[in-house]
Amino acid sequence: MRDQSIIIKQIIGKTVKAIRIKKGLSQEDLAHECNVDRSYISMIEVGRNEPSVTKIFELCKGLKIKPSDFFKLVESEYKNIQEKDAEI
């Protein structure tokens, strides 16, 4: 089985990117909403940075999504990966 922390970072990044694109925001737009640099958003999206819970709440505010909904999406994707790994 793959390293859990790496998988979770990748899922968080993938989820942030998908929601950002769905909302029609650029990385620059989201960075501005969250008071961070665009490169920080980029590093989250590619799974190189793992945002703190506080930062996730700020990202959710910028993405106009409830943190509980965000975590449900992350959890759902994580379960999908676990199920696929179990089949192997």
Side-chain angles (χ1 to χ4, degrees):
M1 180 139 165
R2 295 178 278 176
D3 184 1
Q4 260 185 313
S5 64
I6 293 171
I7 293 168
I8 292 169
K9 278 198 294 193
Q10 290 173 341
I11 294 169
I12 288 171
K14 182 176 154 185
T15 304
V16 167
K17 184 176 183 176
I19 296 168
R20 176 182 62 74
I21 290 170
K22 185 177 179 185
K23 302 274 183 173
L25 297 170
S26 68
Q27 287 181 343
E28 197 71 47
D29 295 333
L30 182 56
H32 179 73
E33 289 290 322
C34 300
N35 258 349
V36 296
D37 194 73
R38 185 209 57 79
S39 64
Y40 180 72
I41 300 297
S42 175
M43 297 227 304
I44 290 171
E45 289 185 355
V46 298
R48 290 189 60 210
N49 245 357
E50 184 174 2
S52 66
V53 173
T54 304
K55 194 55 74 178
I56 288 174
F57 272 67
E58 290 175 23
L59 288 166
C60 289
K61 184 177 178 186
L63 292 167
K64 296 173 179 47
I65 182 175
K66 291 190 292 187
S68 58
D69 291 339
F70 178 82
F71 282 110
K72 284 178 192 170
L73 291 169
V74 171
E75 180 184 23
S76 175
E77 183 62 24
Y78 183 72
K79 282 183 179 177
N80 288 342
I81 289 171
Q82 281 186 316
E83 288 168 6
K84 286 177 187 170
D85 283 352
E87 291 173 3
I88 297 173

